[in-house]
Amino acid sequence: MPIYNAPTKDIQFVLHDLLKVSEQDIPGFEDLDRGFTGAVVEEAGKVASDVLHPLNVVGDTEGCVMENGVVRTPTGFKAAFAQMKDGGWTAMDCDPEYGGQGLPYVMHTAAQEPFVSANMAFNMYQGLTHGAYSAIHAHGSDAQKQKYLPKMVSCEWTGTMNLTEPHCGTDLGLMRTKAEPNDDGSFKITGQKIFISAGEHDMAENIIHLVLAKIPGGPEGIKGVSLFIVPKFIVNDDGSLGARNGVACGKIEEKMGIHGNSTCVMNYDEATGYLIGEKHKGMRAMFTMMNEARLGVGLQGYAQAESAYQNAVAYANDRLQGRDVTGAKNPDGPADPLIVHPDIRRNLMDQKSFVEGARAFTYWGAYLIDRAHKNDDAQADGLISLMTPVIKGFLTDKGFEYATAAQQVYGGHGYIEEWGMSQYARDARIAMIYEGANGVQALDLVGRKLGQDGGKHVMAFFEMIKTFIKENEGHEALNADFLEPLKAASKDLQAAGMYFMQNATKPNNALSGSYDFMHMMGHVCLGLMWARMAKAAMEALEDGASDTAFYETKIATGRYYMARQLPATSMHLARINTGGDTIMALDAANF
Amino acid sequence: MPIYNAPTKDIQFVLHDLLKVSEQDIPGFEDLDRGFTGAVVEEAGKVASDVLHPLNVVGDTEGCVMENGVVRTPTGFKAAFAQMKDGGWTAMDCDPEYGGQGLPYVMHTAAQEPFVSANMAFNMYQGLTHGAYSAIHAHGSDAQKQKYLPKMVSCEWTGTMNLTEPHCGTDLGLMRTKAEPNDDGSFKITGQKIFISAGEHDMAENIIHLVLAKIPGGPEGIKGVSLFIVPKFIVNDDGSLGARNGVACGKIEEKMGIHGNSTCVMNYDEATGYLIGEKHKGMRAMFTMMNEARLGVGLQGYAQAESAYQNAVAYANDRLQGRDVTGAKNPDGPADPLIVHPDIRRNLMDQKSFVEGARAFTYWGAYLIDRAHKNDDAQADGLISLMTPVIKGFLTDKGFEYATAAQQVYGGHGYIEEWGMSQYARDARIAMIYEGANGVQALDLVGRKLGQDGGKHVMAFFEMIKTFIKENEGHEALNADFLEPLKAASKDLQAAGMYFMQNATKPNNALSGSYDFMHMMGHVCLGLMWARMAKAAMEALEDGASDTAFYETKIATGRYYMARQLPATSMHLARINTGGDTIMALDAANF
């Protein structure tokens, strides 16, 4: 049976030693002292370990079942969902006007991590609801907010996002679902949507579907897409539930993983829908929530790796196999534990240095979202907009890679479902695909974000690294192990950016390198996080922190990342510099 | 429904343009002309596409079921297995004395590839039998060979390999299964073996288990392990089947993939076993077949990537999504096919250049095995011994990576089991684990093979590259695109070897770099293959070959590999040069 323990100490380190949240001039951050955040994360960790994690394997094994149009979630999900609601965990960063607790997004993120690590499929029911809440909150009318948000904040009603159709995912301009106006201002929604997570289930009284559709006569393509609220049960003006709407789950998909979440084909047959925001501006409404949604998926990536890592460490300490090549470490036992072997450690250090770097990167992103929203800070907004595809793409690629690496530590047992390691890999796999496949993230990064506002944000990012290096170059302990590798990696990244600029007239040259650039930038971001974390850890030690082992381990883990992971940037640069010729060389028929 | 078509043309290219098999001075190779090999591979391809591939999804979905101790294979497996037997596909390279066709191993490999691509789980039933056949053939007595081999060659009886026990896999010295002598020279085998592929099933009259066990009173650890034949039904002297032996399947494991193969817990309860070869020399008997077995697993790695690639290409040509950034390619349609997008091509070219390079590498390995065995060529033997961990480790890591990459081309549909792409990834995953986990392969490479016979074989490998470069440096078309990158990569590999030599007294420094070295060497091997294939393709074009598109595509694909994959060697070298300090820094308790 797999284990999970929330990494409370590390989350606290990121919030306080690294981000110094309580010192930030952002409304609400003044309350985020160590005592408060520690209590919240610890409590979230308890729910994660005691309630959600035991249901992770159950969800994987049982999956969701549809019988006579009714979707049944796995055993125990309903009771656990009730506990999540009762504990107020679904309302943490929501608007107090609608029953939320109004906490910063970074606090929401810190509390979410244990839930996602413990049971990704389960947590998606509230995760999707949160996304739908955000869309209505940002773009709905006051009446719509009053009607839907309080019950969504409490998760009495859950939410969904309906974008994909059988013939279109990335290219939503091809959408066929139509929205025909009714006389009362509502619309008749007709069409089929697929891959709808939490599309139908038995854990909520009502499900509020957000649906993209085209109003006939509108502009062609993506510019003619509007966003609608389509409740499963029509909500009367007094808040009571009325008639069943014309929307039904046609099928539950059999997937590689996240079996505990019901991924539905949703059929809309003249369902009543209510326009959110302006006609034909549906994509804009979607885009405003994308930073949050994609950060949430990036979190899923490393959170699965975190869970897998914890189990791999336990197994490596437990399993006796072979002897330390430098001399037996467990001479009285039949063999030494796996963890004595250098290649096992290499594998574990890869995982550990990634997960901790990814956590810092993600929380920093959440902090930027808070700063952008609560302080109306355009610079923070530009920066998180730039970082979003990297958080999503890099952290989910690596999250899957390391969940798979953790599975490898188990040898043959890693392949047997009973041991639970396969599930981490299978669940993590989806994060590379949904919310914009990672190739699309790379395209977004190189094709849109780099040049956004005249390239201002990427320049600010480079400046931030330069400043950090400059400010600390006298810091001997940081210099060789952290600043030098960061400088080299950042130089590689800038050279790649330069290559793209020089090839602006040959878009295939730049786009051929987009995926490499995304990974390169991911490494530079994690490198920056590690340099900052190392500095923070060194300061804590200088200040006489009692938990020296924690801080020394932090520094050693950072050294590993800088020494062994950052050299990847030069490989990515070498690839980028080869341009698009070898990539575009073949006729389609010759593949 | 996934597709599969045997890459007959490419297999023929590797056999004839690259390896020039019919010109080799190896007994039996003189018969391998284009007509013969083409007919065999084409026929194997037909069986693969028509018989085995349709059962691939069936096997994954149904799995193997045990009821009342009887294991039922998936629907259709029995009939397909009969077809394989009747077609003589199980006997191809076996000894004619026992009913085999006596063809070279390279021919067996070429015929196996389509079977493995089409249905890996199914093909393991005969694959394991072949392994058991080889062990008995190499180490059994004449009487044992007469008794067991003819029925194993025909696959009327299948075979298994029993090594792993619940508490030991890599470290077989910890083995507990015991073999107590009977008065008649046989042994009583008692113990539990796990992860036994094809351990019990309904497709053969008898199952010949090869079992490692310890004879009480023998040497401690791995030196006290002996190898036994333990038939499911005792075979009488007249060849008829006698009593049921004391061996039974305790359980079928639920696995991440290869559901069509029954992975069994096998319980031995005073089962009658017959010693093969000498007492306590069981591991030696196992090792002599390891080159073949590991090459077979390496083949599984790239063969799954090949299947996944074929489907990804079809989907990329079929699925309309977005527009070519340089101008619409399908202006009359609603969108362009995916394959116009540079990042999709990057992904497909990664897959294609790997699979074709891996095929060449594997067939070259098979050719070396033939040369070693049939010509008693010590140099070939040393070379394949060096290459074996690379073929196994590198090709299975990359095979899984690219099967996953092919899945990514499908977007959301890649995650839905119905589309079949998840299965390729799930099936490919096991190849990184069994037959020695890839970390163990890296250890074997760096800890044993590099220094074997005074480092003679790795020196010979470097010499081979040097000679090839020297012989062709006047070849302008090869030089910049192939020879220069090969030279650089080979230099990196030599530098890594040098680092290991200099750190011979600090084994953790070398072992910390073992995994990187294995991948580095994999890239250099594929780089060498690509340089040779490019040369062969250029010669074919000069000689006026009619299929110019095939040869030009081959050269372009090679250029891609050299430009975009070989730069990985410098990253691996940079990692290796950091030694073991960052890897060994943490106390086990601080992970």
Side-chain angles (χ1 to χ4, degrees):
Chain A
M1 184 72 186
I3 53 160
Y4 175 72
N5 295 298
T8 312
K9 205 186 275 187
D10 202 53
I11 291 176
Q12 287 281 74
F13 171 80
V14 171
L15 291 176
H16 298 285
D17 295 82
L18 178 71
L19 298 176
K20 301 187 194 301
V21 286
S22 62
E23 299 169 25
Q24 299 297 326
D25 60 335
I26 305 174
F29 272 54
E30 63 280 1
D31 298 332
L32 302 182
D33 57 55
R34 276 185 194 264
F36 176 72
T37 63
V40 170
V41 173
E42 199 157 308
E43 201 49 45
K46 262 187 218 154
V47 174
S49 296
D50 299 346
V51 181
L52 306 192
H53 196 247
L55 298 177
N56 197 37
V57 173
V58 176
D60 188 54
T61 312
E62 293 187 12
C64 293
V65 182
M66 183 160 91
E67 278 168 357
N68 308 319
V70 176
V71 173
R72 220 173 49 236
T73 51
T75 308
F77 270 41
K78 225 169 164 171
F81 201 66
Q83 264 187 276
M84 293 292 286
K85 289 191 289 191
D86 295 347
W89 294 109
T90 65
M92 191 172 282
D93 69 323
C94 296
D95 190 338
E97 201 175 328
Y98 307 105
Q101 297 164 34
L103 285 164
Y105 186 66
V106 73
M107 194 65 238
H108 166 79
T109 303
Q112 283 285 304
E113 185 193 310
F115 301 150
V116 177
S117 280
N119 197 327
M120 176 168 153
F122 175 89
N123 201 61
M124 289 172 66
Y125 292 98
Q126 67 146 310
L128 269 301
T129 307
H130 192 277
Y133 156 87
S134 297
I136 297 174
H137 190 264
H139 300 279
S141 67
D142 280 344
Q144 287 172 336
K145 293 189 206 180
Q146 296 296 347
K147 197 170 207 170
Y148 299 105
L149 294 189
K151 299 265 188 180
M152 293 176 76
V153 166
S154 64
C155 269
E156 285 164 275
W157 301 349
T158 61
T160 71
M161 313 294 296
N162 292 242
L163 286 77
T164 306
E165 299 185 4
H167 63 290
C168 71
T170 301
D171 189 354
L172 289 171
L174 303 177
M175 185 174 292
R176 287 179 196 146
T177 298
K178 60 180 182 192
E180 292 168 304
N182 292 323
D183 293 338
D184 64 355
S186 68
F187 290 79
K188 271 195 289 286
I189 312 287
T190 302
Q192 189 178 65
K193 295 286 180 178
I194 62 170
F195 304 155
I196 308 309
S197 299
E200 177 60 41
H201 59 85
D202 56 359
M203 301 199 297
E205 294 165 10
N206 201 4
I207 300 177
I208 310 304
H209 303 289
L210 295 197
V211 184
L212 286 178
K214 283 184 170 176
I215 301 170
E220 287 284 300
I222 198 71
K223 290 181 180 151
V225 167
S226 307
L227 182 63
F228 299 88
I229 296 174
V230 185
K232 176 176 167 185
F233 291 100
I234 300 289
V235 180
N236 297 321
D237 286 339
D238 65 358
S240 64
L241 296 189
R244 184 75 155 81
N245 206 348
V247 47
C249 172
K251 180 189 174 188
I252 299 186
E253 304 282 6
E254 295 288 339
K255 309 182 297 292
M256 185 179 185
I258 52 165
H259 296 154
N261 199 276
S262 57
T263 304
C264 301
V265 172
M266 297 303 295
N267 295 319
Y268 293 85
D269 185 11
E270 301 202 341
T272 302
Y274 309 97
L275 183 70
I276 307 185
E278 291 177 58
K279 273 185 192 180
H280 314 317
K281 305 287 186 196
M283 287 314 291
R284 192 188 292 171
M286 280 285 151
F287 270 113
T288 57
M289 336 173 310
M290 246 172 219
N291 289 349
E292 278 184 38
R294 291 181 171 177
L295 184 136
V297 175
L299 187 149
Q300 289 182 330
Y302 85 77
Q304 289 307 294
E306 161 76 36
S307 276
Y309 165 74
Q310 289 189 14
N311 286 282
V313 169
Y315 191 80
N317 274 306
D318 195 50
R319 175 88 169 173
L320 304 179
Q321 207 81 176
R323 286 290 183 195
D324 186 331
V325 70
T326 64
K329 287 286 179 298
N330 176 34
D332 299 335
D336 289 340
L338 283 182
I339 205 161
V340 305
H341 302 300
D343 188 63
I344 295 285
R345 280 177 172 257
R346 179 220 30 103
N347 186 347
L348 294 175
M349 288 300 292
D350 277 348
Q351 297 170 46
K352 180 176 171 65
S353 65
F354 162 71
V355 167
E356 293 178 13
R359 175 175 298 123
F361 186 29
T362 302
Y363 288 27
W364 179 53
Y367 149 86
L368 288 173
I369 288 176
D370 278 323
R371 182 169 281 287
H373 289 182
K374 292 179 196 284
N375 291 16
D376 243 335
D377 183 328
Q379 209 180 340
D381 193 54
L383 206 49
I384 186 59
S385 165
L386 173 70
M387 293 300 164
T388 295
V390 184
I391 292 175
K392 199 282 182 181
F394 183 68
L395 299 192
T396 60
D397 274 2
K398 290 288 173 184
F400 172 70
E401 181 181 335
Y402 293 126
T404 305
Q407 185 187 16
Q408 190 74 10
V409 173
Y410 278 67
H413 297 96
Y415 201 65
I416 309 297
E417 292 294 352
E418 195 184 339
W419 290 76
M421 299 305 286
S422 158
Q423 188 188 351
Y424 293 121
R426 288 185 291 98
D427 285 1
R429 183 67 185 87
I430 188 59
M432 296 159 68
I433 298 174
Y434 61 19
E435 201 54 41
N438 286 356
V440 176
Q441 302 298 328
L443 181 64
D444 178 46
L445 176 63
V446 169
R448 290 200 332 128
K449 300 298 176 64
L450 281 189
Q452 210 170 31
D453 299 326
K456 196 162 83 176
H457 310 302
V458 73
M459 301 305 281
F461 175 61
F462 286 133
E463 199 54 38
M464 180 185 297
I465 295 174
K466 214 169 120 186
T467 306
F468 179 79
I469 293 173
K470 216 177 168 80
E471 281 173 1
N472 294 287
E473 59 193 358
H475 196 313
E476 218 170 305
L478 270 184
N479 213 10
D481 292 348
F482 291 92
L483 302 185
E484 287 299 331
L486 179 59
K487 200 187 288 179
S490 165
K491 215 175 124 190
D492 285 343
L493 189 68
Q494 290 184 54
M498 190 60 73
Y499 177 85
F500 292 159
M501 272 168 56
Q502 285 161 348
N503 283 273
T505 56
K506 297 176 200 150
N508 280 342
N509 277 13
L511 296 181
S512 292
S514 60
Y515 214 87
D516 281 288
F517 190 85
M518 179 174 77
H519 272 250
M520 214 174 172
M521 187 147 161
H523 281 299
V524 173
C525 289
L526 260 59
L528 176 63
M529 292 300 125
W530 271 117
R532 286 183 167 169
M533 288 196 285
K535 188 186 172 189
M538 288 170 189
E539 284 173 356
L541 287 171
E542 282 159 24
D543 293 350
S546 60
D547 194 354
T548 53
F550 175 82
Y551 290 107
E552 281 164 5
T553 298
K554 183 61 73 180
I555 296 164
T557 307
R559 275 202 197 102
Y560 180 89
Y561 194 87
M562 304 310 277
R564 301 211 15 124
Q565 296 300 349
L566 273 199
T569 59
S570 65
M571 176 187 71
H572 291 301
L573 177 61
R575 284 187 187 155
I576 288 169
N577 281 335
T578 65
D581 288 352
T582 61
I583 288 180
M584 306 307 290
L586 300 192
D587 284 344
N590 290 331
F591 272 87
Chain B
M1 184 71 185
I3 53 162
Y4 174 73
N5 295 298
T8 313
K9 205 186 274 187
D10 202 53
I11 291 176
Q12 287 281 77
F13 171 79
V14 171
L15 291 176
H16 298 286
D17 295 82
L18 178 71
L19 298 176
K20 301 188 192 303
V21 284
S22 62
E23 299 169 27
Q24 300 297 326
D25 61 334
I26 306 174
F29 273 53
E30 62 280 1
D31 298 331
L32 301 182
D33 58 53
R34 277 186 192 265
F36 175 72
T37 64
V40 170
V41 174
E42 197 156 312
E43 200 49 45
K46 261 186 217 154
V47 174
S49 297
D50 299 346
V51 181
L52 306 192
H53 197 246
L55 298 177
N56 197 37
V57 173
V58 175
D60 188 55
T61 313
E62 293 186 13
C64 293
V65 182
M66 182 161 90
E67 279 168 357
N68 307 320
V70 177
V71 173
R72 220 173 49 239
T73 52
T75 307
F77 270 41
K78 223 167 164 172
F81 201 67
Q83 263 187 277
M84 293 292 285
K85 290 191 289 190
D86 295 347
W89 294 108
T90 65
M92 193 172 282
D93 69 324
C94 295
D95 190 340
E97 202 174 326
Y98 308 105
Q101 296 164 35
L103 285 165
Y105 186 66
V106 72
M107 193 67 238
H108 165 79
T109 304
Q112 283 285 306
E113 185 192 311
F115 301 151
V116 178
S117 280
N119 196 327
M120 175 168 153
F122 175 89
N123 202 62
M124 289 171 65
Y125 293 97
Q126 66 146 309
L128 269 301
T129 307
H130 193 276
Y133 155 86
S134 296
I136 297 174
H137 190 263
H139 300 279
S141 67
D142 281 343
Q144 288 172 335
K145 293 189 205 179
Q146 296 296 346
K147 198 171 206 169
Y148 298 106
L149 293 189
K151 298 267 186 180
M152 293 175 77
V153 166
S154 65
C155 270
E156 284 163 275
W157 301 349
T158 60
T160 72
M161 314 294 295
N162 291 240
L163 287 76
T164 306
E165 300 185 4
H167 64 290
C168 71
T170 301
D171 189 355
L172 289 171
L174 304 176
M175 185 174 292
R176 289 179 196 146
T177 298
K178 62 181 179 190
E180 292 168 304
N182 292 322
D183 294 339
D184 65 355
S186 68
F187 290 79
K188 271 196 288 287
I189 312 287
T190 302
Q192 189 177 66
K193 294 288 181 176
I194 62 169
F195 305 156
I196 308 309
S197 300
E200 178 60 40
H201 59 85
D202 57 358
M203 302 199 297
E205 293 164 11
N206 201 5
I207 301 177
I208 310 304
H209 303 289
L210 295 197
V211 184
L212 287 178
K214 283 184 172 178
I215 302 170
E220 286 285 299
I222 198 72
K223 289 178 179 153
V225 167
S226 307
L227 182 63
F228 299 89
I229 296 175
V230 185
K232 176 176 168 185
F233 291 99
I234 300 288
V235 181
N236 297 320
D237 286 339
D238 65 357
S240 63
L241 296 188
R244 183 76 156 79
N245 206 350
V247 49
C249 172
K251 180 189 175 189
I252 298 186
E253 304 281 8
E254 295 287 339
K255 308 181 300 291
M256 185 179 186
I258 53 164
H259 297 154
N261 199 275
S262 57
T263 304
C264 301
V265 173
M266 297 302 295
N267 295 319
Y268 293 86
D269 184 11
E270 300 202 340
T272 302
Y274 310 98
L275 182 70
I276 306 185
E278 291 176 59
K279 274 185 192 178
H280 314 317
K281 304 288 186 197
M283 287 312 292
R284 193 189 291 171
M286 279 285 152
F287 270 113
T288 57
M289 335 172 312
M290 247 172 219
N291 289 349
E292 279 185 35
R294 291 180 170 176
L295 185 136
V297 175
L299 188 149
Q300 289 182 330
Y302 85 77
Q304 290 307 294
E306 161 76 37
S307 275
Y309 166 74
Q310 289 189 14
N311 286 282
V313 169
Y315 191 80
N317 274 306
D318 195 51
R319 174 87 169 174
L320 305 179
Q321 206 81 173
R323 286 292 182 193
D324 186 330
V325 70
T326 64
K329 286 287 178 298
N330 176 33
D332 299 335
D336 289 341
L338 283 182
I339 204 161
V340 304
H341 302 299
D343 188 63
I344 294 285
R345 280 177 170 256
R346 181 227 18 112
N347 186 348
L348 293 175
M349 289 301 290
D350 278 347
Q351 296 170 47
K352 181 177 171 64
S353 64
F354 162 70
V355 167
E356 294 179 14
R359 176 174 297 122
F361 187 29
T362 303
Y363 288 26
W364 180 52
Y367 148 86
L368 288 174
I369 289 176
D370 278 322
R371 182 168 281 286
H373 289 181
K374 292 179 197 284
N375 291 17
D376 243 337
D377 184 328
Q379 209 181 338
D381 194 53
L383 206 49
I384 186 60
S385 167
L386 173 71
M387 293 300 164
T388 294
V390 184
I391 291 175
K392 198 283 181 179
F394 182 68
L395 299 192
T396 60
D397 274 2
K398 291 288 173 184
F400 173 69
E401 180 182 334
Y402 293 126
T404 305
Q407 185 187 17
Q408 190 74 9
V409 173
Y410 278 68
H413 296 96
Y415 200 65
I416 309 296
E417 291 294 350
E418 195 184 338
W419 290 76
M421 299 306 285
S422 158
Q423 188 187 351
Y424 293 121
R426 289 185 291 99
D427 284 1
R429 183 66 185 87
I430 188 58
M432 296 159 68
I433 298 175
Y434 62 19
E435 202 53 42
N438 286 355
V440 176
Q441 302 298 327
L443 180 64
D444 177 47
L445 176 63
V446 169
R448 291 201 329 128
K449 300 297 175 64
L450 281 188
Q452 210 169 34
D453 298 326
K456 195 163 85 177
H457 310 303
V458 73
M459 300 305 281
F461 174 60
F462 286 134
E463 199 54 39
M464 180 185 295
I465 295 174
K466 213 169 123 186
T467 306
F468 179 79
I469 292 172
K470 214 177 169 82
E471 281 175 3
N472 293 287
E473 60 192 359
H475 196 313
E476 217 169 306
L478 271 184
N479 214 8
D481 293 347
F482 291 92
L483 303 185
E484 287 299 332
L486 179 60
K487 200 187 288 179
S490 165
K491 216 175 124 193
D492 285 343
L493 189 68
Q494 290 185 55
M498 191 60 73
Y499 177 85
F500 292 159
M501 271 167 57
Q502 286 162 347
N503 283 271
T505 57
K506 298 176 200 149
N508 279 341
N509 276 12
L511 295 182
S512 292
S514 59
Y515 214 88
D516 281 288
F517 190 85
M518 179 174 77
H519 271 251
M520 214 175 172
M521 186 148 162
H523 281 298
V524 172
C525 289
L526 261 58
L528 175 63
M529 291 301 124
W530 271 117
R532 285 184 167 167
M533 288 195 284
K535 188 187 172 189
M538 287 171 189
E539 284 173 357
L541 287 170
E542 280 158 26
D543 293 350
S546 60
D547 194 354
T548 52
F550 174 82
Y551 290 108
E552 282 164 3
T553 298
K554 183 61 73 179
I555 297 164
T557 306
R559 276 202 196 102
Y560 180 90
Y561 194 88
M562 304 310 275
R564 301 214 12 127
Q565 296 299 349
L566 273 198
T569 58
S570 65
M571 176 186 71
H572 291 300
L573 176 60
R575 284 185 186 156
I576 288 169
N577 280 335
T578 65
D581 288 352
T582 61
I583 288 181
M584 306 307 290
L586 302 191
D587 283 345
N590 290 331
F591 272 87

